[in-house]
Amino acid sequence: MIEIKNLNGTLGEFQLHDVNLSVRKGEYLAILGPTGAGKTVLVEYVAGIFKPDKGSIMVDGEDITSLYPEERNIGYVPQDYALFPNLTVEKNIAYGLEARRMPSEQVNAVVSEMISQLKIEYIRHRMPLNLSGGEKQRVALGRALATKPRLLLLDEPLSALDENLRTEMARELRRLQRDVNGTFIHVCHNFEEASDVADRIAIMNEGSIVQTGTLKQVMEAPKNEFLARFVKSQNIFSGIAHGSGLKIGETALVKKSTFEGDVIVAIRPESIKISRENSQKGENLFSGTVENSLLKPYFSEVVVDIGIPLIIYTMKGKTFNRGDKVNVRIPPEKIVVIEKL
């Protein structure tokens, strides 16, 4: 459906470097990355707002790299929604259709369909000034989807909403995408938001895409230290790999690695098993002392000293206190070993 190949571009001091990305028809892709990574710049190139220095953007086999935005049939919802303040909700949604000189009967039919689908009949005659953040987002989506674009670009569409509304609207976006069988690219910086909407994610850093895959794939197998930190592996150490083992300081772990010598070791906190009883079986069993325990909304965060400090996430019902003696198991298959560059 969408093929971005070797895309390079310069905007002021910022550069996009050799971006390669494929998006399947009907797929929902989320693009994540730290501030300044180039997420918005990339979707602006795809939308046609800027022209790249080199590389190509193909949609349905058509090279759209040099086309003007209005020639691309791509919907774009910017972060501020960019609604026309002097037009009512229904006139905002109708704007793109009227610009294409669609007969008024058809315009009215499409607008009514979008208003019904987005459940905003009660605000159809209001002006944008009198809308909440969630209502503005729905109107912007309606305007973008009314023209039946072959691709919809969403630039941080939920960033202006509070947490509860953000979750609700994320589910609404996913439902809408499935209803229209659309191809969506969604820029965000929140893993929870990405998990609510996306089939796959692409992570950007310093103008490049550094890894793509499902959220599970990227979180469980980050390719480098930046990714391990970005996906919040939490337990990240410098170590030494040797055959079937690892050493972090004086702590030895069983783990086969394709690398030898200096490495980065990453272990997700939810992958580590903790108990008071000495009943766990398997490799990488350790005794330790609880240094800290913190109750979070959905889990408890426990810090255990086993010679190295481990951050462990446990189910909310399990409580551990500072000074408790505990047993810890680190499954070898959950340890990520990254070559140290």
Side-chain angles (χ1 to χ4, degrees), residues 2 9 28 76 141 158 180 182 192 204 225 229 254 286 316-317 324 341:
I2 302 156
Y28 202 128
Y76 176 49
L141 283 169
L158 310 180
V180 301
E192 190 171 346
M204 292 191 72
E225 184 177 357
R229 295 189 184 281
V254 175
F286 302 93
K316 196 173 179 182
D324 284 355
L341 301 176

Side-chain angles (χ1 to χ4, degrees), residues 24 30 35 43 53 98 107 158 167 186-187 212 242 264 285 289:
R24 297 183 291 271
T35 301
V43 297
D53 299 333
E98 292 174 342
V107 171
L158 310 180
T167 301
H186 177 132
V187 169
T212 59
H242 49 88
I264 299 295
L285 295 170
T289 304

Side-chain angles (χ1 to χ4, degrees), residues 51-65:
K51 295 292 190 293
D53 299 333
K54 66 175 183 177
S56 64
I57 304 169
M58 307 285 291
V59 179
D60 292 336
E62 178 190 6
D63 188 343
I64 66 166
T65 316

Side-chain angles (χ1 to χ4, degrees), residues 6-75:
N6 302 318
L7 200 70
N8 286 261
T10 304
L11 291 174
E13 295 182 357
F14 180 80
Q15 288 189 317
L16 212 60
H17 306 285
D18 295 322
V19 171
N20 290 278
L21 182 65
S22 297
V23 186
R24 297 183 291 271
K25 188 174 181 65
E27 183 175 35
Y28 202 128
L29 179 86
I31 301 178
L32 293 94
T35 301
K39 307 181 294 294
T40 294
V41 171
L42 176 57
V43 297
E44 287 175 339
Y45 278 127
V46 176
I49 296 170
F50 302 109
K51 295 292 190 293
D53 299 333
K54 66 175 183 177
S56 64
I57 304 169
M58 307 285 291
V59 179
D60 292 336
E62 178 190 6
D63 188 343
I64 66 166
T65 316
S66 59
L67 296 182
Y68 290 107
E70 59 271 21
E71 299 173 315
R72 299 187 179 208
N73 191 24
I74 289 176

Side-chain angles (χ1 to χ4, degrees), residues 112-226:
S112 291
E113 180 187 354
M114 289 307 311
I115 284 174
S116 174
Q117 196 166 27
L118 291 162
K119 301 180 177 63
I120 52 173
E121 176 66 42
Y122 68 102
I123 59 168
R124 70 182 301 155
H125 300 301
R126 286 193 203 167
M127 308 298 279
L129 181 65
N130 302 314
L131 303 180
S132 69
E135 289 167 345
K136 287 178 182 177
Q137 192 226 40
R138 284 186 170 94
V139 176
L141 283 169
R143 185 178 63 187
L145 289 169
T147 58
K148 297 192 174 354
R150 48 188 175 176
L151 168 65
L152 181 63
L153 305 171
L154 302 161
D155 186 10
E156 301 210 22
L158 310 180
S159 63
L161 309 181
D162 64 51
E163 187 174 349
N164 290 333
L165 187 56
R166 189 182 303 128
T167 301
E168 178 187 331
M169 290 307 300
R171 294 193 187 112
E172 186 72 10
L173 277 173
R174 185 58 166 160
R175 178 195 66 78
L176 193 61
Q177 184 260 345
R178 286 172 174 159
D179 285 351
V180 301
N181 194 29
T183 306
F184 285 19
I185 295 179
H186 177 132
V187 169
C188 62
H189 57 268
N190 183 307
F191 276 98
E192 190 171 346
E193 182 177 320
S195 70
D196 283 339
V197 297
D199 299 306
R200 285 190 308 140
I201 65 171
I203 297 181
M204 292 191 72
N205 188 39
E206 296 180 344
S208 298
I209 290 180
V210 288
Q211 189 166 350
T212 59
T214 64
L215 188 62
K216 184 174 186 289
Q217 287 169 341
V218 175
M219 291 180 74
E220 292 186 352
K223 290 182 176 178
N224 57 37
E225 184 177 357
F226 159 77

